[in-house]
Amino acid sequence: MTSRHTIRPYRSYVYAYPHKTAYGRLAEHPGGRPALRDLWAGENRDALSLYLHIPFCEVRCGFCNLFTRIGAPDELTTRYLDALDRQATAVRDALGDAEPVRFAAAAFGGGTPTFLTAGELERLCDIAEKRMGAELRSVPLSVETSPSTATADRLAVLADRGTTRISIGVQSFVEAEARAAVRPQRRADVEAALGTIRDSRIPVLNIDLIYGIDGQTERSWRTSLDAALQWRPEELYLYPLYVRPLTGLGRLGAADEAAVDAAWDEQRLRLYRAGRNHLLAHGYEQVSMRMFRRADAPRPEGPDDHACQTDGMIGLGCGARSYTSRLHYSFDYAVEMREVRAIIDGYTATEDFSHAEVGRFTDGDESRRRHLLQSVLQAEGLRVSEYRERFGTDPGEDFPEELARFDDRGWLDRDVTAAGLLRLSPEGLAHSDALGPDLFSPAVRAAMAAYELK
């Protein structure tokens, strides 16, 4: 029997599978770079997700390993939007008109999309609507922002173009903690930004908070939680702090210490449980380890029929991923600023976007793993009948060792098995960042291990 006390609870945040560090250059595969027209031939295109990536921020937080750069000199945002327009034109052409193409959900991420000016955000929406054919006012549209860029003119554009959800990365309302996370900000500025967002009347406000910051206590964590609750956000995301290579905190040397610091694991678990219990007591329901939704929050009107486990995604921008049933693809990935700048410069100079450049082919086993991951890491769990209908097998047949291990650790909710559900227990949800990586295939693990950090 595996001892629960030897499990590291914070191995990796699994927000997509396979991870980008498992991707490879497709030119090196037999047949070379696949044409987008061939990739999307025969794919279901009636409930796609559309993601537009803006890789610019006004400052880079110490914990951030996202694909983004600080600032945009020499009209770089204009050149980037020009390239985004060219890419959108090529992708929409590749989708063709033989079958209807419909987008069921859309999102602008980054980076910080609201780094763009109000006029540039108008153009971004035009690219989504006029080039891709997305009806932004008729589908859920989520946009990320920051305290310094959530200005009234930008939010007015987003509200007018149909934004249903705005997500702001606050991380901490305690100024000393924000400095410790290499994210200096004044609480008064954060509160002002939240007021501006509420004035915009965008239906759903999400606030991101981080636990595990150096010097953070249960009392200071409660301070941030209560400050966020004052705004009655429809959603709250509680993120554990990670210190990753090539980030600001990683360069400060914290990564080596954190790798062996069991006390930090205990701190993060303690703060997670305190935060979870506090939100549950204040009328929120848990959607995943990170996501909490206000139980009485009105749901935005309109369809929301995109399923991340089964439906495809179109990603535009040099940090965006696209998903077909056979291939996940993107552009090159980096964290170090010099490498990021070079990739963005290469993207803006690209004229031909008709082929996939970097990606990973997904066979039947990888599809099963992805479906299981995307489902079981949600609090509602996986309906075994839906899995069986798609793959012709049960998860217990496909992943007997992994599921037995999770059950042994107390991570599965045995009370719902008879109802045909595979669902995590509260302790399983708490250990999502250990459970997720445990489902990675040996091939994906090997590819990730071989990835050269840059």
Side-chain angles (χ1 to χ4, degrees), residues 45-308:
R45 289 171 284 185
D46 58 352
L48 297 173
S49 176
L50 179 64
Y51 178 75
L52 277 66
H53 181 255
I54 304 299
F56 306 111
C57 289
E58 72 279 7
V59 64
R60 187 161 194 175
C61 305
F63 50 83
C64 177
N65 73 334
L66 298 177
F67 184 88
T68 188
R69 62 161 290 164
I70 301 170
D74 303 322
E75 297 185 343
L76 180 56
T77 54
T78 298
R79 288 186 281 118
Y80 186 84
L81 290 172
D82 288 344
L84 200 68
D85 200 331
R86 293 194 299 273
Q87 185 189 6
T89 301
V91 171
R92 186 60 188 86
D93 181 66
L95 291 174
D97 296 315
E99 298 178 11
V101 176
R102 174 179 167 270
F103 293 96
F108 302 158
T112 308
T114 50
F115 179 91
L116 300 177
T117 65
E120 289 171 332
L121 286 170
E122 290 276 18
R123 186 180 179 195
L124 186 69
C125 292
D126 283 344
I127 290 172
E129 291 186 335
K130 297 177 180 178
R131 291 288 184 263
M132 295 304 301
E135 298 179 4
L136 296 183
R137 293 181 178 88
S138 302
V139 300
L141 170 60
S142 177
V143 182
E144 297 173 12
T145 191
S146 68
S148 64
T149 63
T151 59
D153 60 336
R154 292 175 169 104
L155 293 170
V157 168
L158 295 174
D160 180 66
R161 300 301 289 262
T163 301
T164 56
R165 177 182 183 270
I166 195 86
S167 178
I168 183 168
V170 172
Q171 320 314 353
S172 177
F173 284 85
V174 179
E175 293 182 13
E177 291 179 3
R179 289 194 298 271
V182 194
R183 190 206 173 88
Q185 62 189 14
R186 296 172 60 244
R187 177 168 174 174
D189 295 335
V190 173
E191 300 278 3
L194 288 166
T196 305
I197 291 172
R198 279 310 196 195
D199 289 344
S200 75
R201 301 191 180 279
I202 292 173
V204 175
L205 164 64
N206 173 72
I207 298 176
D208 289 345
L209 297 175
I210 284 182
Y211 55 91
I213 300 170
D214 187 32
Q216 191 176 47
T217 64
E218 286 191 46
R219 183 174 181 178
S220 67
W221 178 226
R222 177 74 66 89
T223 296
S224 283
L225 290 167
D226 286 339
L229 288 172
Q230 288 295 314
W231 294 96
R232 288 183 53 77
E234 285 71 25
E235 295 175 8
L236 275 160
Y237 270 71
L238 308 185
Y239 287 95
L241 179 66
Y242 275 92
V243 177
R244 301 178 177 93
L246 303 182
T247 63
L249 289 176
R251 287 192 296 272
L252 291 174
D256 292 337
E257 299 171 16
V260 295
D261 193 356
W264 192 35
D265 284 345
E266 290 299 320
Q267 178 208 21
R268 286 181 286 180
L269 272 176
R270 184 173 64 253
L271 294 176
Y272 160 78
R273 290 178 173 129
R276 174 197 62 195
N277 294 343
H278 195 58
L279 294 186
L280 293 179
H282 281 76
Y284 284 75
E285 56 189 14
Q286 188 166 17
V287 179
S288 68
M289 172 186 165
R290 287 165 170 76
M291 182 183 175
F292 295 80
R293 180 187 293 124
R294 210 179 77 216
D296 65 344
R299 299 295 190 263
E301 297 181 3
D304 185 8
D305 57 349
H306 173 79
C308 63

Side-chain angles (χ1 to χ4, degrees), residues 25-26 156 188 202 223 233 236 341 348 358 367 385 398 428 443 448-449:
R25 292 201 170 276
L26 296 170
I202 292 173
T223 296
L236 275 160
R341 288 171 179 164
T348 61
V358 176
S367 294
S385 59
D398 295 334
M448 293 175 66

